[in-house]
Amino acid sequence: MLNYRLVAALILLLTAVFPMATQWAMEANGGWFRPFFVWGFMIFSCYMMQRKRTWDEP
Amino acid sequence: MSLNIIFYTFGFVLLAGATSGVLIKANRPASNALLLNLALVAGTGVLLAMGSLEIAGRHGYTLIMAMISFTLIFLVSPLIFFPLRRLVAVVKFATPIDFLTFRYRKEIVAKVTCLCFIVGSAPLFFAQFSALLSLLEALVPQSAVIPALWVIGALTALFNRHTLESDKVRNLLWLMSSASLLLLSSMAMTAWLCIDNVFGNLDAMNQWIANSSHIEQLRQTNPEYSIVSIFMIASIALPLNFNLVIKNEISDRLFGATAYGYPLLIMLLCIPVLPLLWAGKVLQPAVPLQDYPFSLPLLLDSPVIAALSAASILLLAISLISSLSIMLAQMILNSFYLPEKKLQNQPNIDKWITHRMVVISLALITLTLLLYPSVTGMSVTDYYLLAFSGLAQLTPGILAAIYLPRINRRGFLIGLCGGMFIWFSTLMLPMFVGELRGLEGYFSISFGMQNWAIWSVEALLVNILLCSIFSAFTPMDEEQVSFARLCMADNVYVPARVSLKQKSVAEIQKSLEASLGDSARVDVSTALGALNLDMNERRPAALRQLRDQLSASLNLRLGVLAATRVMQQTLPLAPSTDKEPNDIYLIESMLAIHGNRLTGVASELNKLRVHHQEILDNLPIGLIAMAPSGEVLKWNVTMTRYTLIPAELATGGSINELPQPWRDLFIQFLQKHVPWEDNLRISIDGHERWFYIRRSGDLVDDDTGDRILLIEEQTQAVRMRQSYMENERLASVGRLAAGVAHEIGNPITAIACVAQNLHYQQTPAHIDTATSQILSQTQRIDRIVKSLINLSRGDDAELSIQQPVNLLQTINEAIQLLQLNGEAEHVKFECQVNPEILIESDAQKLIQIFLNILNNAIDASPDDACITITASQSSLQTEVTVSDQGTGVNETVRGRLFEPFVTSKEPGQGTGLGLWVVFNLTRELGGHVSVSSPAIDSDSGSTAVLQLPSKAHQKTINYEAT
């Protein structure tokens, strides 16, 4: 029952994606809105995962 | 200016209210998802409207990290919230306290956690009052600020009353979504106003940022990881979040939309924060950061946008105060009042509950308003940080409840109390009394919000440490172990197959009325409607489901403690001596619904289950699995085909509740304690059907395991057998007919002779003699014809006429028929049968039996041999033996004598059906036949022993369907 895909995605997010994304968002010449791009990408990924989810109800 | 703003503010409130009303009325999936996400945003109160600016100003991009972590719990909702929702779908909880009480058991859990929620949530009230005060100070004269705050408090209390007395969910949803709509538009409009008026346009702002050092300040500010952690941890225990998560009215699909919708809205609200912050840097207003959303539009001479911000702050504060006070009121009621309340004495429980909740929520608002003056001086952000670190203490217990089954009540309570004590003494208490004097020597770090980051994490660590240590070294009782297992994230809730004392819905309703009074009727009716059952329901599984449904609805209305008490008092489960097995019926139905959620090995096992299920269903024989109590657990498709009773109706019901004639058929078989029985005849609408039933397992009356009955229809086979037997009978009649015709010929010749002589007789004496001779011959013919008619009577083979039959007469009749045929001329019969022996049986079948046995004896006997017939009778059984002095039975056929087409005679001499017919007819009469060779008390010949019941034997279960 444990959602292995989600756990794997979380581990990947915390170990690889998050440090790289933070570095990219905080770059000296980058725009002030870069952290929001990272956040938006996370939300979009979640939306894609939810979209593929099957629901028990009709 | 102020009056204009107040006017516009009310205008915007009305506009937002109308927009929300339209969205609620639309009731479409998209609008409902939007409303839910808007309500969640409003659940954070004024944090996003005011607190976010201060966090960004103090800690830079930490705001974004904190908000990502705050919403992360929704992004990963399949890990935490969905397991909770699965449990809630069955057990139902109204508050997070009910969940914790359900998991950790005992009233003390409810009381302690309730107190923690109240104390932990108090700073949230203060934050809203602080925001309202800031707003009022800008809008109304100083002297009217406090009265205006009390007026807002009173209006909130009135709204609470209206909400509780009408539609709670709808009203709160309306208020909160209105507040969020205003917040979204106010933040966007204020940011646009600032960019346009302060910088000129977006490019100019970006240019300004590039030329200034402010962006570097945002980046270089050390991120406050404690804020990030506490925001994430607190978001799980935040009462409103938790309450929405466990709301039964929200479907899984709708809740799934919060995973991305809620973070998206929060992100949209955070984007304008930075432009506002930079506009403030340029304008340098003499107000705290938290007041920028309202003050900057005023500075830029835009009363409309200032009013928009004011309206959003006003509604956000009211919606949080309202929802939080209602939620806490329900927690207090469920934890302190209802468990002790004698509900049967209360005429209208729902009204009583509503009234109490109104009073408690009013008391909470009043108390926090009274306390607020003594805690002023802190910013909105400080209050939020304080509340979040307090509420975060409840999160370890919640997470342990779904992931750590070893955490027990003692560990949870000691950890919670330890964490709350540190939080209260180091952060909450200094808020009221200021810096604690005299402790400087003992602690290197001073108490108070200046060291919030340290103390909040310390409190949490102590909580987790104490919880782990005490759970590891203290035992758990059986009840805790069972409920801990039940709450696990990967557990599928399956109630045990326990038995209820009540055997019908009416009995359940009557029992419930003893505790709940008249409202029990409504509860039962609602539960029946939800389960799609009716008042006549008697199936044990359905009654258990009804009990669970009632328990769940009472959990929602009265809380876990009061509901458990009511259920234990009114609908107790019958005491069981052993551990009850799981409710297979419910497991099946739940797996059928939720099977697609399973992954990995569980999914494969489920496929295997479905495969086995299909095998059982498609077996060519009927299968019934039964609990020891008689409850039907499995009723396969073949059974439905045999009985026309759908599996849905039969499964979960008792075997004693099946329609006739099936009920009697199965019950009578079960009572006999035999492994199998065949030729069980039942009659439905005049149609006869025959069945074979076999039970599985030992014959030992074992009450611990389930029983399996296998049922096979034999109607076709029986009809075929009857057809063979009928043919055999007609063949016998044919064989005897020639002898009979000859035998009738003799008296007819005699009658003819006498009749001719009569013509010449003149004296009356001679005429009388001739008449007597004619009558005598006629009687002889009559006797012969009757014997033949008895044998050839084409009875309805399905109808057995059971009547007293004289055994000797029947045997003599058979002998006479054989003698007529001439087959018995070479043998003698010695009939040692008491003429008074009567048995209740079918005369025609008996003649057929004796004919076949005697015929075999005659065929086997040499000339002048004697065939001996004896009989004895007891009250139960009559035994007849037929012994001959023949050659005996060939060894090769001795074991198969009663099988069809088995004969020891020469080819063409016999069909091999004689003894097979005897065997079947004897069984139909409830008797038994055996052949021993050599004959009893002899060296040669053979003896047929026929055992028949002395009383009538009944095997048919008649049932005329209506």
Side-chain angles (χ1 to χ4, degrees), chain A residues 1-3 6-7 10 18 26-28 30-32 35-36 39-40 42-43 46-47 50 53 55-58, chain B residues 61 67-68 75-76 78-79 206 215 219 251-253 256 259-260 263-264 267 271 278 594 596-599:
Chain A
M1 291 281 269
L2 189 64
N3 197 326
L6 187 59
V7 172
L10 266 180
F18 184 71
M26 298 292 177
E27 268 178 7
W32 61 273
F36 293 106
W39 194 355
M42 279 174 67
I43 294 168
C46 179
Y47 167 72
Q50 288 290 330
R53 196 183 162 97
W55 304 99
D56 293 334
E57 65 220 36
Chain B
Y61 277 137
M67 285 304 166
I68 289 175
L75 283 167
V76 295
L79 289 182
N206 286 337
I215 185 72
R219 286 177 184 142
S251 67
D252 277 355
R253 188 186 292 273
Y260 53 88
L264 181 68
M267 188 184 81
I271 293 173
W278 292 320
H594 304 300
N596 61 346
R597 281 180 179 167
L598 301 172
T599 55

Side-chain angles (χ1 to χ4, degrees), chain B residues 338 341-346 349 515-517 558 562 565-566:
Chain B
L338 281 168
K341 173 81 180 162
K342 286 191 168 39
L343 298 166
Q344 66 272 30
N345 300 333
Q346 198 59 49
I349 299 165
S515 267
L516 295 178
L558 312 174
R565 179 173 59 88
V566 168

Side-chain angles (χ1 to χ4, degrees), chain B residues 147-160:
Chain B
L149 187 65
W150 278 91
V151 168
I152 292 172
L155 286 172
T156 311
L158 278 174
F159 176 80
N160 280 0

Side-chain angles (χ1 to χ4, degrees), chain B residues 347-628:
Chain B
N348 189 336
I349 299 165
D350 289 329
K351 203 173 171 184
W352 181 87
I353 290 172
T354 304
H355 182 250
R356 286 292 175 283
M357 279 179 70
V358 170
V359 172
I360 296 169
S361 65
L362 175 68
L364 281 169
I365 294 170
T366 312
L367 187 69
T368 46
L369 269 172
L370 286 171
L371 281 174
Y372 178 65
S374 56
V375 295
T376 49
M378 285 168 65
S379 66
V380 166
T381 308
D382 285 337
Y383 287 126
Y384 269 97
L385 291 177
L386 185 61
F388 282 5
S389 53
L391 290 170
Q393 303 304 321
L394 289 146
T395 302
I398 293 172
L399 287 180
I402 49 175
Y403 277 111
L404 302 171
R406 279 287 292 125
I407 300 297
N408 60 21
R409 179 171 56 240
R410 189 168 295 174
F412 166 67
L413 285 177
I414 292 173
L416 180 63
C417 291
M420 283 304 279
F421 174 75
I422 291 176
W423 169 81
F424 187 81
S425 51
T426 58
L427 298 172
M428 186 81 167
L429 201 57
M431 185 174 74
F432 288 98
V433 298
E435 187 72 26
L436 294 172
R437 303 288 171 199
L439 295 171
E440 295 85 355
Y442 300 100
F443 297 95
S444 57
I445 306 159
S446 61
F447 295 174
M449 286 305 289
Q450 65 276 16
N451 286 315
W452 172 87
I454 296 166
W455 289 121
S456 56
V457 175
E458 292 280 329
L460 200 59
L461 287 176
V462 167
N463 181 347
I464 295 167
L465 199 67
L466 287 175
C467 181
S468 309
I469 291 171
F470 277 89
S471 294
F473 295 106
T474 54
M476 276 172 98
D477 56 46
E478 211 167 281
E479 187 188 17
Q480 280 195 73
V481 172
S482 144
F483 280 85
R485 204 180 298 128
L486 194 65
C487 292
M488 282 299 95
D490 55 354
N491 182 56
V492 176
Y493 174 69
V494 179
R497 195 170 68 208
V498 287
S499 53
L500 266 176
K501 281 182 179 170
Q502 290 77 6
K503 301 296 175 202
S504 67
V505 178
E507 283 179 38
I508 287 178
Q509 185 172 303
K510 197 177 168 191
S511 304
L512 210 56
E513 277 171 3
S515 267
L516 295 178
D518 292 339
S519 71
R521 204 169 301 135
V522 182
D523 286 327
V524 170
S525 167
T526 313
L528 285 173
L531 294 170
N532 206 14
L533 300 174
D534 59 36
M535 277 298 284
N536 301 320
E537 187 58 71
R538 295 183 70 86
R539 288 178 297 163
L543 294 182
R544 280 200 304 273
Q545 273 187 296
L546 179 63
R547 187 192 185 276
D548 283 348
Q549 181 72 21
L550 285 167
S551 174
S553 69
L554 287 180
N555 275 352
L556 271 183
R557 279 173 62 209
L558 312 174
V560 166
L561 287 173
T564 308
R565 179 173 59 88
V566 168
M567 295 311 283
Q568 280 173 353
Q569 282 174 357
T570 57
L571 301 172
L573 300 168
S576 59
T577 49
D578 202 355
K579 196 181 172 190
E580 296 290 350
N582 282 335
D583 196 329
I584 303 293
Y585 170 62
L586 274 180
I587 293 177
E588 282 291 346
S589 44
M590 288 178 80
L591 281 175
I593 299 167
H594 304 300
N596 61 346
R597 281 180 179 167
L598 301 172
T599 55
V601 179
S603 168
E604 297 304 315
L605 285 172
N606 189 44
K607 282 178 194 163
L608 200 62
R609 177 193 69 85
V610 172
H611 178 65
H612 287 159
Q613 187 79 276
E614 282 170 0
I615 289 175
L616 286 179
D617 274 340
N618 295 317
L619 277 178
I621 56 171
L623 181 141
I624 305 174
M626 276 189 316

Side-chain angles (χ1 to χ4, degrees), chain B residues 187-201:
Chain B
M187 289 298 276
M189 294 296 284
T190 313
W192 170 79
L193 180 77
C194 289
I195 292 168
D196 193 47
N197 283 275
V198 178
F199 301 106
N201 55 41

Side-chain angles (χ1 to χ4, degrees), chain B residues 552-788:
Chain B
S553 69
L554 287 180
N555 275 352
L556 271 183
R557 279 173 62 209
L558 312 174
V560 166
L561 287 173
T564 308
R565 179 173 59 88
V566 168
M567 295 311 283
Q568 280 173 353
Q569 282 174 357
T570 57
L571 301 172
L573 300 168
S576 59
T577 49
D578 202 355
K579 196 181 172 190
E580 296 290 350
N582 282 335
D583 196 329
I584 303 293
Y585 170 62
L586 274 180
I587 293 177
E588 282 291 346
S589 44
M590 288 178 80
L591 281 175
I593 299 167
H594 304 300
N596 61 346
R597 281 180 179 167
L598 301 172
T599 55
V601 179
S603 168
E604 297 304 315
L605 285 172
N606 189 44
K607 282 178 194 163
L608 200 62
R609 177 193 69 85
V610 172
H611 178 65
H612 287 159
Q613 187 79 276
E614 282 170 0
I615 289 175
L616 286 179
D617 274 340
N618 295 317
L619 277 178
I621 56 171
L623 181 141
I624 305 174
M626 276 189 316
S629 60
E631 186 180 328
V632 177
L633 304 174
K634 175 76 192 163
W635 185 272
N636 76 349
V637 173
T638 310
M639 275 314 297
T640 303
R641 205 172 62 238
Y642 286 164
T643 60
L644 300 180
I645 301 168
E648 301 77 44
L649 270 182
T651 315
S654 169
I655 200 96
N656 299 319
E657 302 286 337
L658 285 176
Q660 291 286 33
W662 307 104
R663 182 174 63 204
D664 284 353
L665 179 72
F666 297 131
I667 289 174
Q668 283 173 15
F669 171 74
L670 287 167
Q671 283 169 349
K672 282 178 191 164
H673 296 281
V674 290
W676 59 270
E677 202 167 2
D678 65 352
N679 294 335
L680 290 170
R681 186 163 65 178
I682 59 167
S683 170
I684 302 174
D685 290 338
H687 296 286
E688 304 296 320
R689 293 169 71 186
W690 286 263
F691 287 92
Y692 164 83
I693 305 183
R694 181 175 189 91
R695 76 168 88 206
S696 69
D698 295 327
L699 285 176
V700 181
D701 194 11
D702 182 6
D703 280 344
T704 53
D706 295 342
R707 290 171 182 163
I708 293 170
L709 294 185
L710 297 173
I711 296 101
E712 192 171 7
E713 179 150 15
Q714 294 180 304
T715 306
Q716 270 193 326
V718 169
R719 295 247 185 240
M720 196 177 287
R721 193 177 67 216
Q722 282 178 345
S723 170
Y724 272 124
M725 285 163 62
E726 181 67 5
N727 290 341
E728 176 64 13
R729 187 177 61 80
L730 290 174
S732 299
V733 172
R735 279 198 304 275
L736 294 170
V740 168
H742 174 72
E743 191 63 23
I744 289 173
N746 290 339
I748 287 174
T749 309
I751 290 169
C753 289
V754 173
Q756 278 175 4
N757 289 339
L758 192 63
H759 188 69
Y760 304 104
Q761 298 297 334
Q762 299 294 326
T763 60
H766 282 123
I767 292 171
D768 282 349
T769 307
T771 311
S772 299
Q773 283 173 343
I774 289 170
L775 279 173
S776 165
Q777 293 304 317
T778 314
Q779 282 167 357
R780 189 180 163 197
I781 292 170
D782 183 54
R783 213 167 41 245
I784 294 164
V785 170
K786 270 185 181 168
S787 295
L788 193 64

